[in-house]
Amino acid sequence: MKMEVMKENRENKTKTSKVDVSYPCADTKRSSQGYHIRKTLHKYISLYCEQSALVGYKYLIEPRRTWFERVIWFAVHVTTICILVYFVTDAYSAFVSMPMVTSVESDHYPTSKIMFPAIAICSINRISRQSAVKMARKVYRSNVTNLSVEEILELFEHLGDSYNSMRKLEKNRRNELNNLLLDFYEGEYDMDAIMKEVRILQACVSVCLTPQCSVMLLTCAFNGNEYNCSDIFSFEKTQDGYCCTFNYIRKDNSNDDEEPEEVRTVKDLGIERGLTVVMEPFLDDYFYTFLPVIGWKVTLFNPTDYPDNISGGVTEVLVSPLLESYLEIEAVSFHSTSQTKSYPIPKRKCIFPNEIQTRYGDYSYSDCLVDCREQQIWKMCKCIPFYLPTRAEVKSKHGRRACTLTDIECLDRYKSNWLTVFPHDDEALNNTVNEYNSLRCGNCYPSCIDVFYTIQSSFSTMKRGYYETSLLRDMEIIDQSVIHIFFSKYGTVRLKQDLSYTWYELLSDIGGICGIFIGFSLISVIELIYFFVLLLFELYKSFDRNSDEIEIEIDEPKEKESMSYTIYWNELVPKSRRRKTKFLSRGNIERY
């Protein structure tokens, strides 16, 4: 017997209806809103994982995947993202910490485009004996002291201590000389003017009112042309006091009515195209020396900078009498591109000349350190050593005074504080600065445009007598020396500081890393933004509705599909243990 059985289940649907509900408390309302937010988040996260172009995310929500597979895929993605974040962070940190890179732009940069260095020729003798004797006689004739000319001259020897040399004067002798000068000048005296006078007389050998170097420098030639030495040399301040300087271009060196001279360059190479000078030592005029030698100290430095050893931009050579010296100049030029100017100074670690003004004019590394040291000296001793560069405020009535003999004790006491300088901020140097007496100049950085000069020197001995050369014609060589300063190479090294990465290069590197790990690209960003906007828009719509009208989702059991199938009456009867039945098609039964 065959019977038809129809098995039906009620249909279960998720019905959404809008009803007005009056909640007895706010907690129920907040719970409903939280549920809706979670539901929406789950919905869009599932959609994003299913539709995203990122590799492997669809495996997290596929219904055929087991929980074990999903956990494995989730762990793989978390590990991959962690490694990705590490590499991206490392790349960005390297970009932030080292945004600049210095490279060799050219090793054959034309020498004709390089500034010829400034030259300072300073005699080892700091005070002229003739000028000291002349000044001692003048003081003696003024009847301000009972000392003899010889005793006054002995005191004048200690004027050299104003250079802050290692030689120190006894306090009572210093006070005696100071009182003598106060009586002679009838009050405060100008140490700058005194030291300039004794140095001028040494250069002129006789009384002269203007600084001239034509007597100490006998013959001068530059770039193949012969000049009067007083036309190309000037008498200016250096770290060694007043010296004869060439190509030293500073605003404070020129008068207000005169325009500063242009920096000199050379058009060709070799000894004849450089600077050649014949120098007279005046050995009989030595009175005070700072080194146990005789001759000259020749200093090379940047034409626009004050020659300062502490800044590291100075090269010095000692030249003795009866020597012909050959100083071959090698220069390395450095410049930063205009793109680096967009970065702060601590990042690029340099300052452009027209970016910041120092007390002396346009910015330079040397001037910044000198200014920093000058402020420290003024703070400690309330005076400025006479050999430091002149400023506009020094020329005014309210300018800072030059140090006198009474200030030497203070200068010697704090000398070590400004002989060691730590420029700009560097965390690695903080402990060193705290342990030692030193000067910290946190605002001083190297110049973004600069030239560094080095020298290779060689010498040959000269014999006394006459030489048949155009440079030494009609000149008897007794103790004189000749110095040649010149470029020897057509090409010089030029360094360039530029950005290590541009923003698009950094983006390319980060995009490449992301592409390797998770297949991330710009399209993935757009996808993420798109789904995020949709999520916010749906949440906004749900919260923008009437607070009294809440959308409630009622989850009812889903109605299973009705199924119809045929059963036989004997299927309802329990089977015998010994009887085997073989079912055939269409309900036929075969027993055996």
Side-chain angles (χ1 to χ4, degrees):
M1 180 178 181
K2 180 172 67 175
M3 56 192 304
E4 295 289 337
V5 178
M6 181 70 67
K7 186 177 181 180
E8 294 182 356
N9 293 325
R10 187 181 58 178
E11 181 182 5
N12 297 323
K13 292 183 179 180
T14 301
K15 298 180 180 181
T16 302
S17 62
K18 295 183 180 179
V19 296
D20 292 334
V21 182
S22 298
Y23 290 95
C25 61
D27 292 340
T28 306
K29 183 177 180 179
R30 285 196 297 266
S31 176
S32 176
Q33 292 177 349
Y35 172 78
H36 180 74
I37 293 174
R38 291 192 300 271
K39 190 81 172 179
T40 306
L41 285 174
H42 181 268
K43 170 185 174 182
Y44 279 96
I45 290 174
S46 300
L47 285 175
Y48 178 76
C49 292
E50 180 181 355
Q51 304 295 332
S52 175
L54 297 179
V55 178
Y57 279 80
K58 61 181 180 180
Y59 300 142
L60 298 175
I61 51 95
E62 282 185 347
R64 294 177 298 174
R65 302 291 173 182
T66 63
W67 281 107
F68 178 76
E69 290 179 302
R70 294 182 183 182
V71 170
I72 293 298
W73 276 110
F74 181 78
V76 169
H77 280 84
V78 170
T79 305
T80 304
I81 291 175
C82 291
I83 298 175
L84 171 64
V85 171
Y86 171 78
F87 279 105
V88 171
T89 304
D90 184 66
Y92 182 76
S93 299
F95 169 75
V96 172
S97 60
M98 295 183 295
M100 307 296 163
V101 61
T102 301
S103 59
V104 178
E105 183 180 43
S106 173
D107 55 357
H108 295 286
Y109 189 73
T111 306
S112 58
K113 296 183 180 181
I114 299 293
M115 298 184 298
F116 196 83
I119 311 295
I121 301 177
C122 306
S123 176
I124 300 297
N125 182 30
R126 284 294 191 270
I127 300 176
S128 168
R129 177 174 293 276
Q130 292 188 22
S131 64
V133 170
K134 184 177 180 62
M135 187 174 180
R137 290 173 179 172
K138 189 186 298 185
V139 173
Y140 176 77
R141 289 194 296 265
S142 65
N143 297 323
V144 296
T145 180
N146 296 326
L147 298 176
S148 64
V149 175
E150 290 74 14
E151 291 173 334
I152 296 174
L153 189 62
E154 184 180 351
L155 285 177
F156 280 174
E157 184 180 358
H158 298 288
L159 286 172
D161 292 326
S162 298
Y163 288 98
N164 261 350
S165 66
M166 298 301 296
R167 180 178 174 181
K168 295 183 180 180
L169 183 64
E170 296 180 2
K171 187 174 182 180
N172 56 347
R173 299 286 288 173
R174 179 171 60 248
N175 293 335
E176 186 178 356
L177 178 58
N178 181 69
N179 294 332
L180 178 62
L181 294 176
L182 290 174
D183 294 337
F184 177 72
Y185 288 100
E186 298 180 352
E188 293 293 333
Y189 55 90
D190 188 355
M191 183 61 69
D192 187 8
I194 294 175
M195 301 307 294
K196 187 175 183 180
E197 181 180 357
V198 296
R199 295 291 289 169
I200 289 173
L201 293 176
Q202 184 226 353
C204 297
V205 186
S206 59
V207 178
C208 58
L209 299 179
T210 56
Q212 298 178 5
C213 296
S214 58
V215 178
M216 186 177 71
L217 308 180
L218 303 179
T219 305
C220 298
F222 178 70
N223 210 8
N225 300 317
E226 190 172 337
Y227 293 90
N228 187 340
C229 293
S230 60
D231 293 338
I232 61 175
F233 278 86
S234 59
F235 208 62
E236 303 294 346
K237 287 181 181 180
T238 68
Q239 59 185 356
D240 298 310
Y242 282 95
C243 300
C244 296
T245 61
F246 169 80
N247 203 31
Y248 185 24
I249 310 299
R250 290 181 62 88
K251 293 182 179 179
D252 54 336
N253 290 342
S254 59
N255 297 327
D256 296 337
D257 299 334
E258 298 179 0
E259 295 183 359
E261 299 179 3
E262 294 184 358
V263 178
R264 299 177 184 268
T265 58
V266 293
K267 302 300 181 183
D268 207 346
L269 305 179
I271 296 176
E272 295 183 357
R273 295 299 179 181
L275 176 67
T276 300
V277 182
V278 180
M279 302 176 294
E280 177 66 51
F282 295 112
L283 298 180
D284 297 335
D285 197 45
Y286 272 49
F287 185 72
Y288 175 86
T289 61
F290 69 101
L291 290 174
V293 294
I294 58 176
W296 303 266
K297 183 166 78 169
V298 180
T299 304
L300 276 72
F301 54 98
N302 194 296
T304 58
D305 291 350
Y306 174 78
D308 180 52
N309 272 330
I310 297 179
S311 66
V314 173
T315 305
E316 298 176 340
V317 176
L318 293 178
V319 178
S320 300
L322 287 176
L323 286 180
E324 186 168 10
S325 306
Y326 302 89
L327 306 183
E328 300 182 26
I329 306 172
E330 294 184 359
V332 176
S333 63
F334 171 82
H335 77 105
S336 300
T337 60
S338 57
Q339 288 83 359
T340 61
K341 203 168 186 178
S342 60
Y343 281 81
I345 294 174
K347 289 295 182 183
R348 52 182 149 98
K349 297 186 183 300
C350 71
I351 299 178
F352 287 88
N354 56 354
E355 188 175 11
I356 294 178
Q357 293 288 316
T358 64
R359 295 175 184 265
Y360 313 108
D362 289 342
Y363 179 85
S364 72
Y365 183 54
S366 175
D367 288 350
C368 184
L369 293 180
V370 171
D371 185 27
C372 179
R373 188 164 74 252
E374 180 180 319
Q375 294 184 38
Q376 181 74 3
I377 295 174
W378 175 259
K379 180 180 178 181
M380 295 292 185
C381 300
K382 299 301 179 184
C383 69
I384 303 299
F386 78 93
Y387 51 82
L388 289 180
T390 305
R391 300 184 319 206
E393 64 180 45
V394 175
K395 299 178 181 179
S396 66
K397 294 181 180 179
H398 304 286
R400 298 175 176 178
R401 67 180 183 88
C403 295
T404 62
L405 295 172
T406 57
D407 301 306
I408 293 178
E409 182 179 358
C410 178
L411 294 175
D412 288 339
R413 184 186 308 120
Y414 297 106
K415 184 177 182 179
S416 60
N417 288 36
W418 52 74
L419 286 182
T420 304
V421 178
F422 290 91
H424 57 82
D425 295 329
D426 192 344
E427 296 180 358
L429 299 178
N430 288 337
N431 295 333
T432 305
V433 174
N434 296 331
E435 292 178 1
Y436 300 96
N437 292 331
S438 56
L439 178 61
R440 188 64 179 266
C441 302
N443 296 325
C444 293
Y445 289 85
S447 299
C448 292
I449 302 175
D450 206 351
V451 181
F452 307 95
Y453 300 97
T454 58
I455 294 177
Q456 292 185 356
S457 58
S458 59
F459 305 92
S460 62
T461 304
M462 299 179 65
K463 295 182 179 180
R464 291 183 172 88
Y466 291 91
Y467 288 79
E468 296 180 0
T469 61
S470 58
L471 186 67
L472 301 176
R473 62 181 179 273
D474 301 329
M475 182 186 301
E476 182 182 5
I477 299 300
I478 301 176
D479 295 312
Q480 295 86 349
S481 291
V482 180
I483 185 171
H484 306 281
I485 305 173
F486 57 95
F487 284 105
S488 60
K489 296 181 179 179
Y490 284 99
T492 61
V493 176
R494 184 168 176 82
L495 303 178
K496 180 181 70 172
Q497 179 177 255
D498 203 353
L499 303 180
S500 57
Y501 287 96
T502 58
W503 65 269
Y504 50 86
E505 289 174 331
L506 177 63
L507 181 62
S508 175
D509 287 350
I510 294 178
I513 295 173
C514 295
I516 292 175
F517 282 93
I518 59 174
F520 189 82
S521 65
L522 188 60
I523 299 300
S524 302
V525 177
I526 298 175
E527 283 182 349
L528 184 61
I529 295 175
Y530 172 73
F531 279 96
F532 185 73
V533 171
L534 290 180
L535 172 63
L536 293 181
F537 184 70
E538 183 167 335
L539 291 176
Y540 173 76
K541 287 196 305 180
S542 64
F543 287 121
D544 192 45
R545 294 172 181 171
N546 194 323
S547 59
D548 293 333
E549 185 177 299
I550 303 174
E551 183 178 284
I552 302 177
E553 293 185 355
I554 303 175
D555 291 340
E556 298 182 358
K558 294 183 179 180
E559 181 179 357
K560 298 182 180 180
E561 296 180 358
S562 58
M563 294 179 295
S564 172
Y565 56 92
T566 303
I567 62 173
Y568 295 88
W569 63 269
N570 55 358
E571 292 181 357
L572 301 177
V573 179
K575 297 179 180 180
S576 175
R577 292 182 180 179
R578 296 181 179 180
R579 179 178 297 177
K580 296 182 180 180
T581 305
K582 182 178 181 181
F583 290 89
L584 302 178
S585 60
R586 300 296 297 177
N588 296 326
I589 301 175
E590 179 180 350
R591 295 182 181 89
Y592 59 94

